Amino acid sequence: MGLKGFERRLERLVEGVFARTFRSELRPVELGRRLVREMDDQRTVNVDGGVAAPNSFTITLGPDDHAQMAEIGESISRALADQARAHAREQGYRFLGPVEVTVKLDPDLGLGSFGLSARFKEGPGGTAGGSLVLPDGSRIQLVGNPVTIGRATDVEIHLNETSVSRRHAQVRPSDGGWVVADLGSTNGTRVNGAMIAKERKLNPDDAISVGDTVIRFEAG
């Protein structure tokens, strides 16, 4: 999901409520643009050559904007966190922990003004990264957030196969690495040809079979 897609999603999210309650010159899409810019500006190269980006963001608003944002603030925080994860996937950034977006009051800010700070914060969900290599050679970057595989159209890896459940399996961070978990699928999930009972730790070049599709795990 690029920035334009994020802006359209955010506009749909707050449509009606936003128009009714938010009379400031500030628009939520401005927060998304600034968040992405902070990720790009503060990215850093780790000792292993990977690129890490900030994962903890604090937005400060003046009293009027903060009060008007109260009704939709939680939804906007979730949308901004989703945008941070999507931008990290697109750019190959890594996170040191889960993505957090917090909205706070700054009594010194006027209507329509805001502050946004970004920092690196270690915590569960940080990962050394990796990729899922699809049969066509394209790669899905693993940067600290789960990747769901299935037939549903809203999952990260969509497979249009009748033997694949809507939400079939998920690759997610665990103890500094990655595991693949079956999500109660009808036909099960295999790693290197062997059916997994619940979840299994992934090693470099492991082959994940979901239906007739084989996805290769690439570490680092």
Side-chain angles (χ1 to χ4, degrees):
M1 177 177 61
L3 187 56
K4 291 296 184 183
F6 161 72
E7 292 174 0
R8 288 193 294 269
R9 176 184 172 189
L10 196 55
E11 286 167 356
R12 289 195 300 268
L13 175 71
V14 301
E15 185 178 5
V17 172
F18 186 84
R20 232 181 14 252
T21 66
F22 213 76
R23 296 177 299 278
S24 169
E25 295 179 359
L26 173 65
R27 291 294 179 262
V29 292
E30 298 175 28
L31 304 178
R33 295 189 188 107
R34 173 73 175 276
L35 182 145
V36 166
R37 188 166 69 247
E38 289 295 328
M39 290 178 66
D40 292 339
D41 288 347
Q42 296 193 39
R43 68 187 187 276
T44 184
V45 178
N46 291 337
V47 293
D48 62 356
V51 180
N55 60 296
S56 181
F57 305 91
T58 300
I59 298 167
T60 52
L61 302 173
D64 291 334
D65 287 332
H66 189 270
Q68 293 181 57
M69 186 77 79
E71 187 175 351
I72 55 175
E74 186 174 340
S75 296
I76 288 177
S77 292
R78 286 197 301 267
L80 289 169
D82 287 345
Q83 169 60 12
R85 287 187 284 265
H87 187 64
R89 284 197 298 271
E90 293 168 357
Q91 301 299 320
Y93 296 160
R94 305 176 182 180
F95 291 131
L96 301 183
V99 178
E100 303 173 349
V101 179
T102 305
V103 179
K104 292 186 176 181
L105 171 67
D106 184 342
D108 295 327
L109 287 176
L111 190 68
S113 299
F114 72 94
L116 192 151
S117 61
R119 65 190 181 100
F120 297 84
K121 183 178 179 181
E122 294 186 358
T127 176
S131 303
L132 295 176
V133 184
L134 305 184
D136 64 0
S138 60
R139 282 174 166 75
I140 303 296
Q141 295 290 332
L142 300 172
V143 288
N145 47 297
V147 173
T148 303
I149 307 165
R151 192 161 40 85
T153 58
D154 62 344
V155 299
E156 286 76 19
I157 299 180
H158 168 65
L159 301 178
N160 190 22
E161 299 180 23
T162 56
S163 59
V164 174
S165 299
R166 286 182 55 79
R167 283 174 171 74
H168 194 110
Q170 188 177 74
V171 176
R172 54 197 182 209
S174 177
D175 296 328
W178 294 89
V179 299
V180 58
D182 186 79
L183 301 179
S185 67
T186 301
N187 296 312
T189 303
R190 291 177 170 81
V191 175
N192 301 329
M195 190 77 72
I196 65 173
K198 187 177 179 181
E199 68 177 34
R200 173 171 167 170
K201 183 177 180 179
L202 290 171
N203 295 309
D205 296 321
D206 275 350
I208 305 167
S209 297
V210 177
D212 294 327
T213 300
V214 178
I215 300 169
R216 183 170 60 86
F217 170 70
E218 191 175 82

